[in-house]
């Protein structure tokens, strides 16, 4: 069965960096992308970006450009999202989801990780 | 960028009764291939989001048939034919026209009256 298992909760100081992992299993990793979405406390879903597990191509939300890097390790079927220069408003639950390789007619984001709470403190 | 709006933002429902959520896109999501690139998700309390509907009207695997999606162009609707207690949560529409860049609507909170 398809599973995405994320790393555990993190508490970081303002200005620091965080790296969240998302380990995929139950499907061919390189046949899909990974979508990253975050949710601030009490707020809605915010698309952060995407990475192709096939060729490493990325697409980041404009507001995060320059602070976020998404990578994959195909040998372990693991995706990573690193966010730098953390601010208080980066406090959120971060989700990975099995995404598309491109716009296609298959379901998008059909499996999600359990979420990783990142708390930015002073 | 495509902006997604939803109404209502809060929807108290009675079990056994139908419910409906509207979603509007700032751009036409219908492409020349005949597909509308609009998906629906639900986030139940304390859980990760889960896909309900893709391409406007296709139920995702395992989704009960009381859920249906309709609409075309810029206006879309998610309907629950008979609400059950387990359907409480926040429902989001999301444009997938610009995939893999996605935009979510603000969400509609469904709870029991």
């Amino acid at each position: 069965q398809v599973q995405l298992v994320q790393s555990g909760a993190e508490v970081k100081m303002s200005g620091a960096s965080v790296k969240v992992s998302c380990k995929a299993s139950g499907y061919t990793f390189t046949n899909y992308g990974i979508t990253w979405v975050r949710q601030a406390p009490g707020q809605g879903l915010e698309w952060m970006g995407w990475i192709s597990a096939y060729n490493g191509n990325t697409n980041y939300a404009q507001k995060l450009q320059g602070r976020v890097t998404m990578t994959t390790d195909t040998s372990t079927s693991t995706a990573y999202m690193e966010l730098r220069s953390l601010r208080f408003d980066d406090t959120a639950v971060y989700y990975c989801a099995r995404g598309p390789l491109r716009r296609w007619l298959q379901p998008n984001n059909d499996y999600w990780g359990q979420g990783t709470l990142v708390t930015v403190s002073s | 960028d495509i902006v997604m709006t939803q109404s209502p933002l809060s929807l108290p429902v009675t079990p056994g009764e139908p419910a409906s959520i509207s979603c509007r896109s700032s751009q036409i999501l219908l492409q020349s291939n005949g597909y509308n690139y609009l998906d629906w998700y639900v986030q139940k309390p304390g859980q990760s989001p889960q896909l309900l509907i893709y391409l406007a009207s296709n139920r995702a695997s395992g989704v009960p048939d009381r859920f249906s999606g309709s609409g075309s162009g810029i206006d879309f609707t998610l309907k629950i034919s008979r609400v059950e207690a387990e359907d409480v949560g926040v429902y989001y529409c999301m444009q997938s026209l610009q995939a893999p860049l996605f935009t979510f609507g603000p969400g509609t909170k469904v709870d029991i009256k």
Side-chain angles (χ1 to χ4, degrees):
Chain A
Q1 71 285 20
V2 174
Q3 279 192 305
L4 297 174
V5 179
Q6 299 183 221
S7 49
E10 303 261 15
V11 179
K12 296 290 184 181
M13 300 290 287
S14 177
S17 299
V18 69
K19 193 169 186 177
V20 177
S21 68
C22 170
K23 183 169 176 58
S25 61
Y27 71 97
T28 302
F29 186 63
T30 51
N31 283 355
Y32 293 83
I34 294 289
T35 298
W36 288 92
V37 172
R38 70 180 180 178
Q39 185 172 39
Q43 302 301 307
L45 302 175
E46 178 188 11
W47 178 81
M48 298 180 65
W50 162 91
I51 182 166
S52 166
Y54 175 73
N55 59 15
N57 285 349
T58 56
N59 190 325
Y60 301 140
Q62 185 81 4
K63 67 179 288 188
L64 297 175
Q65 289 272 4
R67 290 205 300 136
V68 68
T69 301
M70 296 174 186
T71 57
T72 59
D73 180 344
T74 56
S75 69
T76 61
S77 298
T78 302
Y80 298 91
M81 186 285 299
E82 181 181 32
L83 190 60
R84 299 176 294 279
S85 301
L86 287 168
R87 308 193 279 242
F88 297 124
D89 62 359
D90 290 320
T91 294
V93 176
Y94 290 75
Y95 294 101
C96 62
R98 187 175 78 164
L101 281 182
R102 59 191 174 281
R103 190 177 80 186
W104 61 15
L105 299 181
Q106 300 177 50
N108 295 308
N109 310 320
D110 53 349
Y111 290 89
W112 292 65
Q114 81 276 21
T116 297
L117 175 61
V118 175
T119 303
V120 182
S121 69
S122 55
Chain B
D1 285 2
I2 299 176
V3 177
M4 308 298 295
T5 55
Q6 292 180 229
S7 62
L9 298 184
S10 178
L11 181 60
V13 297
T14 301
E17 294 296 306
S20 179
I21 300 169
S22 296
C23 173
R24 174 168 286 186
S25 170
S26 64
Q27 295 184 28
I28 294 173
L29 302 183
L30 173 64
Q31 288 298 282
S32 57
N33 60 7
Y35 290 96
N36 284 280
Y37 287 83
L38 187 285
D39 303 338
W40 289 96
Y41 296 81
V42 62
Q43 186 176 30
K44 297 181 180 181
Q47 296 185 18
S48 302
Q50 57 190 85
L51 177 66
L52 283 175
I53 302 286
Y54 65 101
L55 295 172
S57 61
N58 295 274
R59 275 189 300 275
S61 176
V63 174
D65 61 7
R66 64 180 181 274
F67 291 92
S68 64
S70 63
S72 184
I74 63 169
D75 286 311
F76 301 90
T77 302
L78 176 71
K79 292 182 179 175
I80 310 174
S81 59
R82 293 174 305 280
V83 172
E84 297 188 4
E86 66 182 30
D87 297 335
V88 297
V90 181
Y91 290 75
Y92 297 91
C93 61
M94 183 198 79
Q95 67 80 18
S96 53
L97 178 70
Q98 297 178 325
L101 186 161
F102 301 109
T103 314
F104 292 95
T108 294
K109 185 175 182 180
V110 172
D111 58 13
I112 301 297
K113 279 182 182 175

